[in-house]
Every structure is written in structure tokens, then in C-alpha cells.
PDB file of all heavy atoms in Angstrom:
ATOM      1  N   GLN A   1     337.213  95.130  70.035  1.00 69.00           N
ATOM      2  CA  GLN A   1     336.071  95.766  70.644  1.00 69.00           C
ATOM      3  C   GLN A   1     334.765  95.252  70.029  1.00 69.00           C
ATOM      4  O   GLN A   1     334.762  94.724  68.927  1.00 69.00           O
ATOM      5  CB  GLN A   1     336.145  97.301  70.499  1.00 69.00           C
ATOM      6  CG  GLN A   1     335.989  97.826  69.084  1.00 69.00           C
ATOM      7  CD  GLN A   1     337.276  97.752  68.301  1.00 69.00           C
ATOM      8  OE1 GLN A   1     337.617  96.674  67.781  1.00 69.00           O
ATOM      9  NE2 GLN A   1     337.986  98.876  68.205  1.00 69.00           N
ATOM     10  N   VAL A   2     333.702  95.383  70.768  1.00 66.00           N
ATOM     11  CA  VAL A   2     332.389  94.957  70.313  1.00 66.00           C
ATOM     12  C   VAL A   2     331.680  96.159  69.695  1.00 66.00           C
ATOM     13  O   VAL A   2     331.349  97.129  70.383  1.00 66.00           O
ATOM     14  CB  VAL A   2     331.546  94.384  71.460  1.00 66.00           C
ATOM     15  CG1 VAL A   2     330.172  93.971  70.945  1.00 66.00           C
ATOM     16  CG2 VAL A   2     332.255  93.203  72.102  1.00 66.00           C
ATOM     17  N   GLN A   3     331.433  96.065  68.415  1.00 82.00           N
ATOM     18  CA  GLN A   3     330.767  97.158  67.716  1.00 82.00           C
ATOM     19  C   GLN A   3     329.246  97.085  67.800  1.00 82.00           C
ATOM     20  O   GLN A   3     328.576  98.113  67.837  1.00 82.00           O
ATOM     21  CB  GLN A   3     331.189  97.180  66.244  1.00 82.00           C
ATOM     22  CG  GLN A   3     332.618  97.597  65.989  1.00 82.00           C
ATOM     23  CD  GLN A   3     333.581  96.427  66.092  1.00 82.00           C
ATOM     24  OE1 GLN A   3     333.180  95.266  66.062  1.00 82.00           O
ATOM     25  NE2 GLN A   3     334.860  96.750  66.217  1.00 82.00           N
ATOM     26  N   LEU A   4     328.720  95.858  67.819  1.00 93.00           N
ATOM     27  CA  LEU A   4     327.284  95.647  67.822  1.00 93.00           C
ATOM     28  C   LEU A   4     326.873  94.835  69.040  1.00 93.00           C
ATOM     29  O   LEU A   4     327.505  93.835  69.357  1.00 93.00           O
ATOM     30  CB  LEU A   4     326.839  94.913  66.555  1.00 93.00           C
ATOM     31  CG  LEU A   4     327.308  95.475  65.212  1.00 93.00           C
ATOM     32  CD1 LEU A   4     326.794  94.612  64.074  1.00 93.00           C
ATOM     33  CD2 LEU A   4     326.844  96.906  65.034  1.00 93.00           C
ATOM     34  N   VAL A   5     325.799  95.261  69.685  1.00 95.00           N
ATOM     35  CA  VAL A   5     325.286  94.575  70.850  1.00 95.00           C
ATOM     36  C   VAL A   5     323.852  94.141  70.585  1.00 95.00           C
ATOM     37  O   VAL A   5     322.976  94.979  70.383  1.00 95.00           O
ATOM     38  CB  VAL A   5     325.338  95.456  72.107  1.00 95.00           C
ATOM     39  CG1 VAL A   5     324.755  94.711  73.300  1.00 95.00           C
ATOM     40  CG2 VAL A   5     326.772  95.878  72.392  1.00 95.00           C
ATOM     41  N   GLU A   6     323.616  92.834  70.585  1.00 96.00           N
ATOM     42  CA  GLU A   6     322.298  92.281  70.324  1.00 96.00           C
ATOM     43  C   GLU A   6     321.576  91.950  71.619  1.00 96.00           C
ATOM     44  O   GLU A   6     322.195  91.613  72.630  1.00 96.00           O
ATOM     45  CB  GLU A   6     322.405  91.010  69.480  1.00 96.00           C
ATOM     46  CG  GLU A   6     323.057  91.205  68.124  1.00 96.00           C
ATOM     47  CD  GLU A   6     323.101  89.915  67.323  1.00 96.00           C
ATOM     48  OE1 GLU A   6     322.191  89.062  67.497  1.00 96.00           O
ATOM     49  OE2 GLU A   6     324.031  89.746  66.516  1.00 96.00           O
ATOM     50  N   SER A   7     320.257  92.013  71.562  1.00 96.00           N
ATOM     51  CA  SER A   7     319.439  91.637  72.699  1.00 96.00           C
ATOM     52  C   SER A   7     318.061  91.214  72.213  1.00 96.00           C
ATOM     53  O   SER A   7     317.677  91.494  71.079  1.00 96.00           O
ATOM     54  CB  SER A   7     319.314  92.785  73.705  1.00 96.00           C
ATOM     55  OG  SER A   7     318.669  93.902  73.125  1.00 96.00           O
ATOM     56  N   GLY A   8     317.313  90.536  73.077  1.00 97.00           N
ATOM     57  CA  GLY A   8     315.935  90.198  72.782  1.00 97.00           C
ATOM     58  C   GLY A   8     315.660  88.740  72.475  1.00 97.00           C
ATOM     59  O   GLY A   8     314.500  88.349  72.331  1.00 97.00           O
ATOM     60  N   GLY A   9     316.697  87.936  72.369  1.00 97.00           N
ATOM     61  CA  GLY A   9     316.489  86.530  72.100  1.00 97.00           C
ATOM     62  C   GLY A   9     315.927  85.798  73.305  1.00 97.00           C
ATOM     63  O   GLY A   9     315.865  86.334  74.410  1.00 97.00           O
ATOM     64  N   GLY A  10     315.517  84.568  73.080  1.00 98.00           N
ATOM     65  CA  GLY A  10     314.978  83.773  74.161  1.00 98.00           C
ATOM     66  C   GLY A  10     314.114  82.648  73.661  1.00 98.00           C
ATOM     67  O   GLY A  10     314.156  82.277  72.488  1.00 98.00           O
ATOM     68  N   LEU A  11     313.326  82.107  74.563  1.00 98.00           N
ATOM     69  CA  LEU A  11     312.428  80.995  74.281  1.00 98.00           C
ATOM     70  C   LEU A  11     311.008  81.510  74.110  1.00 98.00           C
ATOM     71  O   LEU A  11     310.523  82.293  74.933  1.00 98.00           O
ATOM     72  CB  LEU A  11     312.483  79.972  75.412  1.00 98.00           C
ATOM     73  CG  LEU A  11     311.520  78.792  75.333  1.00 98.00           C
ATOM     74  CD1 LEU A  11     311.843  77.912  74.132  1.00 98.00           C
ATOM     75  CD2 LEU A  11     311.576  77.987  76.621  1.00 98.00           C
ATOM     76  N   VAL A  12     310.358  81.062  73.055  1.00 98.00           N
ATOM     77  CA  VAL A  12     308.986  81.464  72.789  1.00 98.00           C
ATOM     78  C   VAL A  12     308.215  80.276  72.235  1.00 98.00           C
ATOM     79  O   VAL A  12     308.794  79.395  71.591  1.00 98.00           O
ATOM     80  CB  VAL A  12     308.944  82.663  71.808  1.00 98.00           C
ATOM     81  CG1 VAL A  12     309.472  82.259  70.435  1.00 98.00           C
ATOM     82  CG2 VAL A  12     307.550  83.248  71.708  1.00 98.00           C
ATOM     83  N   GLN A  13     306.919  80.242  72.507  1.00 98.00           N
ATOM     84  CA  GLN A  13     306.079  79.178  71.981  1.00 98.00           C
ATOM     85  C   GLN A  13     305.693  79.450  70.531  1.00 98.00           C
ATOM     86  O   GLN A  13     305.678  80.605  70.096  1.00 98.00           O
ATOM     87  CB  GLN A  13     304.811  79.044  72.826  1.00 98.00           C
ATOM     88  CG  GLN A  13     305.055  78.618  74.256  1.00 98.00           C
ATOM     89  CD  GLN A  13     303.766  78.384  75.006  1.00 98.00           C
ATOM     90  OE1 GLN A  13     302.962  77.536  74.615  1.00 98.00           O
ATOM     91  NE2 GLN A  13     303.568  79.130  76.077  1.00 98.00           N
ATOM     92  N   PRO A  14     305.390  78.404  69.775  1.00 98.00           N
ATOM     93  CA  PRO A  14     304.902  78.623  68.411  1.00 98.00           C
ATOM     94  C   PRO A  14     303.717  79.575  68.400  1.00 98.00           C
ATOM     95  O   PRO A  14     302.818  79.476  69.232  1.00 98.00           O
ATOM     96  CB  PRO A  14     304.494  77.220  67.953  1.00 98.00           C
ATOM     97  CG  PRO A  14     305.368  76.308  68.748  1.00 98.00           C
ATOM     98  CD  PRO A  14     305.499  76.976  70.102  1.00 98.00           C
ATOM     99  N   GLY A  15     303.738  80.506  67.444  1.00 98.00           N
ATOM    100  CA  GLY A  15     302.706  81.518  67.370  1.00 98.00           C
ATOM    101  C   GLY A  15     303.009  82.764  68.173  1.00 98.00           C
ATOM    102  O   GLY A  15     302.310  83.779  68.028  1.00 98.00           O
ATOM    103  N   GLY A  16     304.033  82.709  68.988  1.00 98.00           N
ATOM    104  CA  GLY A  16     304.408  83.840  69.808  1.00 98.00           C
ATOM    105  C   GLY A  16     305.276  84.838  69.085  1.00 98.00           C
ATOM    106  O   GLY A  16     305.534  84.711  67.885  1.00 98.00           O
ATOM    107  N   SER A  17     305.746  85.826  69.832  1.00 98.00           N
ATOM    108  CA  SER A  17     306.521  86.918  69.250  1.00 98.00           C
ATOM    109  C   SER A  17     307.768  87.223  70.062  1.00 98.00           C
ATOM    110  O   SER A  17     307.799  87.042  71.284  1.00 98.00           O
ATOM    111  CB  SER A  17     305.671  88.191  69.175  1.00 98.00           C
ATOM    112  OG  SER A  17     304.546  88.026  68.340  1.00 98.00           O
ATOM    113  N   LEU A  18     308.778  87.697  69.373  1.00 98.00           N
ATOM    114  CA  LEU A  18     309.988  88.222  69.983  1.00 98.00           C
ATOM    115  C   LEU A  18     310.432  89.433  69.187  1.00 98.00           C
ATOM    116  O   LEU A  18     310.159  89.533  67.988  1.00 98.00           O
ATOM    117  CB  LEU A  18     311.118  87.193  69.990  1.00 98.00           C
ATOM    118  CG  LEU A  18     311.062  86.035  70.985  1.00 98.00           C
ATOM    119  CD1 LEU A  18     312.221  85.083  70.724  1.00 98.00           C
ATOM    120  CD2 LEU A  18     311.116  86.544  72.421  1.00 98.00           C
ATOM    121  N   ARG A  19     311.122  90.327  69.858  1.00 98.00           N
ATOM    122  CA  ARG A  19     311.688  91.482  69.186  1.00 98.00           C
ATOM    123  C   ARG A  19     313.175  91.557  69.475  1.00 98.00           C
ATOM    124  O   ARG A  19     313.582  91.668  70.631  1.00 98.00           O
ATOM    125  CB  ARG A  19     311.016  92.769  69.653  1.00 98.00           C
ATOM    126  CG  ARG A  19     311.394  93.994  68.819  1.00 98.00           C
ATOM    127  CD  ARG A  19     310.902  95.266  69.464  1.00 98.00           C
ATOM    128  NE  ARG A  19     310.986  96.410  68.567  1.00 98.00           N
ATOM    129  CZ  ARG A  19     311.150  97.665  68.960  1.00 98.00           C
ATOM    130  NH1 ARG A  19     311.229  97.944  70.264  1.00 98.00           N
ATOM    131  NH2 ARG A  19     311.209  98.640  68.071  1.00 98.00           N
ATOM    132  N   LEU A  20     313.971  91.492  68.435  1.00 98.00           N
ATOM    133  CA  LEU A  20     315.413  91.587  68.561  1.00 98.00           C
ATOM    134  C   LEU A  20     315.875  93.015  68.320  1.00 98.00           C
ATOM    135  O   LEU A  20     315.318  93.721  67.484  1.00 98.00           O
ATOM    136  CB  LEU A  20     316.109  90.660  67.559  1.00 98.00           C
ATOM    137  CG  LEU A  20     315.731  89.173  67.595  1.00 98.00           C
ATOM    138  CD1 LEU A  20     316.571  88.415  66.572  1.00 98.00           C
ATOM    139  CD2 LEU A  20     315.918  88.599  68.990  1.00 98.00           C
ATOM    140  N   SER A  21     316.891  93.404  69.047  1.00 98.00           N
ATOM    141  CA  SER A  21     317.501  94.710  68.866  1.00 98.00           C
ATOM    142  C   SER A  21     318.994  94.543  68.648  1.00 98.00           C
ATOM    143  O   SER A  21     319.614  93.636  69.199  1.00 98.00           O
ATOM    144  CB  SER A  21     317.275  95.605  70.087  1.00 98.00           C
ATOM    145  OG  SER A  21     315.906  95.849  70.294  1.00 98.00           O
ATOM    146  N   CYS A  22     319.566  95.422  67.868  1.00 96.00           N
ATOM    147  CA  CYS A  22     320.996  95.430  67.623  1.00 96.00           C
ATOM    148  C   CYS A  22     321.457  96.872  67.589  1.00 96.00           C
ATOM    149  O   CYS A  22     321.082  97.627  66.688  1.00 96.00           O
ATOM    150  CB  CYS A  22     321.325  94.726  66.311  1.00 96.00           C
ATOM    151  SG  CYS A  22     323.058  94.828  65.822  1.00 96.00           S
ATOM    152  N   ALA A  23     322.245  97.246  68.571  1.00 95.00           N
ATOM    153  CA  ALA A  23     322.714  98.618  68.687  1.00 95.00           C
ATOM    154  C   ALA A  23     324.191  98.705  68.329  1.00 95.00           C
ATOM    155  O   ALA A  23     325.024  98.050  68.945  1.00 95.00           O
ATOM    156  CB  ALA A  23     322.487  99.136  70.099  1.00 95.00           C
ATOM    157  N   ALA A  24     324.494  99.512  67.345  1.00 92.00           N
ATOM    158  CA  ALA A  24     325.876  99.761  66.959  1.00 92.00           C
ATOM    159  C   ALA A  24     326.497 100.789  67.892  1.00 92.00           C
ATOM    160  O   ALA A  24     325.794 101.594  68.505  1.00 92.00           O
ATOM    161  CB  ALA A  24     325.953 100.232  65.516  1.00 92.00           C
ATOM    162  N   SER A  25     327.809 100.766  67.992  1.00 91.00           N
ATOM    163  CA  SER A  25     328.523 101.735  68.819  1.00 91.00           C
ATOM    164  C   SER A  25     328.177 103.147  68.390  1.00 91.00           C
ATOM    165  O   SER A  25     327.957 103.419  67.214  1.00 91.00           O
ATOM    166  CB  SER A  25     330.028 101.521  68.711  1.00 91.00           C
ATOM    167  OG  SER A  25     330.390 100.222  69.125  1.00 91.00           O
ATOM    168  N   LYS A  26     328.123 104.049  69.367  1.00 86.00           N
ATOM    169  CA  LYS A  26     327.767 105.436  69.082  1.00 86.00           C
ATOM    170  C   LYS A  26     328.714 106.081  68.088  1.00 86.00           C
ATOM    171  O   LYS A  26     328.306 106.925  67.288  1.00 86.00           O
ATOM    172  CB  LYS A  26     327.734 106.252  70.373  1.00 86.00           C
ATOM    173  CG  LYS A  26     326.615 105.880  71.315  1.00 86.00           C
ATOM    174  CD  LYS A  26     326.638 106.727  72.565  1.00 86.00           C
ATOM    175  CE  LYS A  26     326.386 108.191  72.246  1.00 86.00           C
ATOM    176  NZ  LYS A  26     326.328 109.034  73.488  1.00 86.00           N
ATOM    177  N   SER A  27     329.975 105.671  68.129  1.00 86.00           N
ATOM    178  CA  SER A  27     330.966 106.248  67.232  1.00 86.00           C
ATOM    179  C   SER A  27     330.914 105.659  65.832  1.00 86.00           C
ATOM    180  O   SER A  27     331.514 106.206  64.909  1.00 86.00           O
ATOM    181  CB  SER A  27     332.367 106.061  67.806  1.00 86.00           C
ATOM    182  OG  SER A  27     332.670 104.686  67.947  1.00 86.00           O
ATOM    183  N   MET A  28     330.207 104.562  65.677  1.00 88.00           N
ATOM    184  CA  MET A  28     330.150 103.903  64.379  1.00 88.00           C
ATOM    185  C   MET A  28     329.326 104.710  63.388  1.00 88.00           C
ATOM    186  O   MET A  28     328.262 105.230  63.728  1.00 88.00           O
ATOM    187  CB  MET A  28     329.564 102.499  64.521  1.00 88.00           C
ATOM    188  CG  MET A  28     329.615 101.691  63.238  1.00 88.00           C
ATOM    189  SD  MET A  28     329.025 100.001  63.480  1.00 88.00           S
ATOM    190  CE  MET A  28     329.299  99.338  61.832  1.00 88.00           C
ATOM    191  N   VAL A  29     329.829 104.789  62.175  1.00 87.00           N
ATOM    192  CA  VAL A  29     329.130 105.471  61.099  1.00 87.00           C
ATOM    193  C   VAL A  29     328.486 104.413  60.217  1.00 87.00           C
ATOM    194  O   VAL A  29     329.173 103.709  59.482  1.00 87.00           O
ATOM    195  CB  VAL A  29     330.074 106.361  60.283  1.00 87.00           C
ATOM    196  CG1 VAL A  29     329.306 107.085  59.190  1.00 87.00           C
ATOM    197  CG2 VAL A  29     330.784 107.352  61.191  1.00 87.00           C
ATOM    198  N   VAL A  30     327.176 104.304  60.310  1.00 80.00           N
ATOM    199  CA  VAL A  30     326.449 103.328  59.522  1.00 80.00           C
ATOM    200  C   VAL A  30     326.183 103.919  58.151  1.00 80.00           C
ATOM    201  O   VAL A  30     325.432 104.885  58.010  1.00 80.00           O
ATOM    202  CB  VAL A  30     325.133 102.930  60.205  1.00 80.00           C
ATOM    203  CG1 VAL A  30     324.378 101.923  59.337  1.00 80.00           C
ATOM    204  CG2 VAL A  30     325.410 102.349  61.580  1.00 80.00           C
ATOM    205  N   ILE A  31     326.815 103.322  57.161  1.00 73.00           N
ATOM    206  CA  ILE A  31     326.760 103.869  55.815  1.00 73.00           C
ATOM    207  C   ILE A  31     325.607 103.307  54.996  1.00 73.00           C
ATOM    208  O   ILE A  31     324.928 104.042  54.271  1.00 73.00           O
ATOM    209  CB  ILE A  31     328.089 103.610  55.068  1.00 73.00           C
ATOM    210  CG1 ILE A  31     329.252 104.277  55.809  1.00 73.00           C
ATOM    211  CG2 ILE A  31     328.011 104.098  53.635  1.00 73.00           C
ATOM    212  CD1 ILE A  31     329.132 105.779  55.904  1.00 73.00           C
ATOM    213  N   ASN A  32     325.373 102.027  55.118  1.00 83.00           N
ATOM    214  CA  ASN A  32     324.474 101.390  54.170  1.00 83.00           C
ATOM    215  C   ASN A  32     323.477 100.450  54.855  1.00 83.00           C
ATOM    216  O   ASN A  32     322.699 100.870  55.698  1.00 83.00           O
ATOM    217  CB  ASN A  32     325.308 100.659  53.120  1.00 83.00           C
ATOM    218  CG  ASN A  32     324.541 100.337  51.858  1.00 83.00           C
ATOM    219  OD1 ASN A  32     323.424 100.782  51.647  1.00 83.00           O
ATOM    220  ND2 ASN A  32     325.153  99.537  50.996  1.00 83.00           N
ATOM    221  N   VAL A  33     323.545  99.194  54.496  1.00 91.00           N
ATOM    222  CA  VAL A  33     322.535  98.222  54.897  1.00 91.00           C
ATOM    223  C   VAL A  33     322.751  97.726  56.324  1.00 91.00           C
ATOM    224  O   VAL A  33     323.881  97.508  56.764  1.00 91.00           O
ATOM    225  CB  VAL A  33     322.536  97.033  53.926  1.00 91.00           C
ATOM    226  CG1 VAL A  33     321.618  95.924  54.427  1.00 91.00           C
ATOM    227  CG2 VAL A  33     322.099  97.497  52.542  1.00 91.00           C
ATOM    228  N   MET A  34     321.655  97.554  57.034  1.00 93.00           N
ATOM    229  CA  MET A  34     321.634  96.842  58.296  1.00 93.00           C
ATOM    230  C   MET A  34     320.758  95.609  58.087  1.00 93.00           C
ATOM    231  O   MET A  34     319.748  95.692  57.387  1.00 93.00           O
ATOM    232  CB  MET A  34     321.066  97.701  59.423  1.00 93.00           C
ATOM    233  CG  MET A  34     321.761  99.040  59.584  1.00 93.00           C
ATOM    234  SD  MET A  34     321.060 100.062  60.913  1.00 93.00           S
ATOM    235  CE  MET A  34     321.902  99.356  62.347  1.00 93.00           C
ATOM    236  N   GLY A  35     321.154  94.506  58.679  1.00 96.00           N
ATOM    237  CA  GLY A  35     320.390  93.307  58.436  1.00 96.00           C
ATOM    238  C   GLY A  35     320.503  92.269  59.523  1.00 96.00           C
ATOM    239  O   GLY A  35     321.294  92.400  60.464  1.00 96.00           O
TER     240      GLY A  35
END
């Protein structure tokens, strides 16, 4: 199963911005570090 789902990647010009998101499964218990 897929525990983490990433989104937000793509093509951007130098100097531009992007925002990445990573959503863990609702049932997952996040104990410590996310990175």
C-alpha cells in the first residue's frame, strides 16, 4: 500500500517557486520526524 502521497512537483523557471506536499495515510501514526 501507498502510505505517503506527494504532489506539487513540476517545471519552474530559475527564481520561481514551487510548493510540495506529502500526505500520510489517515491511519498512519506519525511519531517523529518528517522530512
